[in-house]
Amino acid sequence: MASLTSKPRNFGAYNHYATPCTRTHQIGALFLVVSTFFITRLFDQWSSVTTAIDLRRTYSSGVTTDNGILQWPERGYGSYLTLKIYVYDENEIEGLKELMYGRDGSVKTTACLKGQWGSQVKIHKLLLESKFRTSKKDEADLFFVPAYAKCVRMLGGLNDKEINHTYVKVLSQMPYFRRSGGRDHIFVFPSGAGAHLFRSWSTFINRSIILTPEADRTDKKDTTAFNTWKDIIIPGNVDDAMTKNGRPDVQPLPLSKRKYLANYLGRAQGKAGRLKLIELSKQYPDKLECPDLKFSGTEKFGRTTYFEHLRNAKFCLAPRGESSWTLRFYESFFVECVPVLLSDHAELPFQNVIDYAQVSIKWPSTRIGTELLDYLASIPDRDKEEMIARGRQIRCLFVYGPDSAPCSAVKGILWELQRKVRHFHQSTETFWLHNGSFVNRELVAFNSWRPPMPLP
């Protein structure tokens, strides 16, 4: 064994060129290591698929993100997307087809693409095409359960009782759902009913990840289906004709050519805030356009007519309806009027990257009246133009496009899902042994579970 006083080894000819290691050399070496680390990290960020414009800085820089890539905050999300999502096939689970096409298969997917519930279809379709999709359950981080239940119900394909029964039947055939208690399974409920469309949600999927625009939806027992710890708020489904690349069907108007200060285009439905706006419009018809739209008849607006009216005001008012969220808030960005949220409990998507105070106004619903119109009239056109320009930068996050696009709603959802991934799962009906194997109450190993399985 060499001692501390041993002479240094002679490495032959190479020793002839050796020079003493001085303090300067040590400092230089340390500087080289540190600089290499930071340069490498910068290069990794530059070359990563997620590298892009930080939205919080674009407001002052004026850089647009319509064609840029969004950068999610690294803290809590990671530096890049590494998800693997398994999408259940409609043919592998008995009952899935009924939740997608109705009891007799008569509900068409094209019909379900429209309206508020269209995101249920779009998210499914885009995940099928996603590079983050895996065909192997064993390597999946998350599992997506496709269902168009709201559309199916509205078109008469299933009634409430059938929807509830079919969901339970589907879940009982999913060993991986049973393994985690549903914690790694994703469900989409995009309509005004939220997860309450599945009446027994609180028994069967109360631990699952729910994607919904409804962050406060409650039933008659005053229990909410949304949990901020596990669930994700998604944007409403804006008509494709307004979100498509290139020229939307209805172009925004210059502010100087807009007829009204503000508008509200919707049905009253007996809601206090909406009724106040309709009455206010009767007092100030030159400032506020607020027809009480109907489901049918001559007062029902077609798609093009609706957006032509929506673009004709500088401010688009978005009061709550049956629940706090409103599609009108998202539509406003595509006709480039400033959204005014009149819904006190509303929660909005992607708050980690969007500063909504920079692109919209939130006004107390209890103060709807002339005070609101006076305030809106006092805002200089320059300020409105700046808010509209900033809204133009972030509206790509409200477009249900592919995750291969630099910016889309699905890409934002994937970033949010990545934070929900767990390395370890457990449920009340899952147990583990010393060798790492998972078993049920009968001590049957997971790979031997056979559906249907009893659910809680």
Side-chain angles (χ1 to χ4, degrees), residues 35 38 70 92 155 168 219 225 233 244 267 270 294 304 324:
S35 60
F38 282 107
L70 295 177
E92 75 174 285
L155 298 180
V168 175
D219 59 18
I233 304 170
K244 62 186 178 183
R267 292 176 284 274
K294 306 299 181 182
T304 301
S324 65

Side-chain angles (χ1 to χ4, degrees), residues 183-406:
R183 286 174 170 86
D184 52 7
H185 280 58
I186 306 164
F187 297 83
V188 184
F189 293 102
S191 72
H196 294 272
L197 187 67
F198 174 19
R199 289 182 174 179
S200 299
W201 71 267
S202 60
T203 300
F204 298 105
I205 62 169
N206 62 329
R207 296 177 179 86
S208 299
I209 300 168
I210 295 174
L211 309 184
T212 177
E214 300 286 340
D216 78 327
R217 181 67 185 186
T218 56
D219 59 18
K220 294 180 181 179
K221 297 179 182 179
D222 199 31
T223 56
T224 181
F226 189 88
N227 184 315
T228 54
W229 180 71
K230 66 180 183 62
D231 299 329
I232 295 171
I233 304 170
I234 62 174
N237 178 41
V238 180
D239 194 289
D240 289 345
M242 296 300 296
T243 63
K244 62 186 178 183
N245 290 330
R247 293 175 61 84
D249 284 6
V250 178
Q251 294 287 314
L253 291 173
L255 286 182
S256 60
K257 294 186 177 181
R258 302 188 189 190
K259 181 178 179 180
Y260 299 100
L261 172 66
N263 63 26
Y264 163 62
L265 304 180
R267 292 176 284 274
Q269 295 180 303
K271 304 305 175 185
R274 297 182 175 197
L275 291 170
K276 286 181 183 178
L277 290 175
I278 292 172
E279 288 303 312
L280 193 62
S281 69
K282 294 176 182 178
Q283 299 176 48
Y284 303 96
D286 57 329
K287 293 184 178 180
L288 177 61
E289 182 189 24
C290 198
D292 183 7
L293 301 184
K294 306 299 181 182
F295 283 103
S296 59
T298 56
E299 294 180 88
K300 179 183 178 182
F301 282 3
R303 182 193 68 193
T304 301
T305 303
Y306 172 83
F307 282 108
E308 286 175 343
H309 277 261
L310 196 66
R311 70 174 179 173
N312 208 19
K314 297 177 181 179
F315 297 94
C316 291
L317 309 183
R320 69 168 290 142
E322 289 293 334
S323 59
S324 65
W325 91 280
T326 166
L327 182 61
R328 202 159 292 102
F329 178 84
Y330 303 102
E331 292 173 331
S332 301
F333 288 95
F334 295 92
V335 294
E336 299 188 1
C337 66
V338 179
V340 180
L341 194 59
L342 303 173
S343 180
D344 301 351
H345 298 283
E347 292 287 345
L348 302 170
F350 312 133
Q351 294 182 40
N352 286 312
V353 295
I354 299 177
D355 181 353
Y356 283 97
Q358 298 284 330
V359 297
S360 65
I361 294 168
K362 184 181 180 184
W363 183 266
S365 62
T366 53
R367 302 181 75 96
I368 295 175
T370 55
E371 181 183 13
L372 169 61
L373 295 183
D374 290 342
Y375 164 69
L376 296 178
S378 72
I379 300 175
D381 278 355
R382 180 187 62 189
D383 292 350
K384 293 193 283 285
E385 293 280 12
E386 290 177 353
M387 293 183 76
I388 289 170
R390 293 192 290 263
R392 198 179 296 128
Q393 296 174 27
I394 57 89
R395 67 187 179 188
C396 53
L397 275 172
F398 306 147
V399 179
Y400 281 95
D403 57 58
S404 58

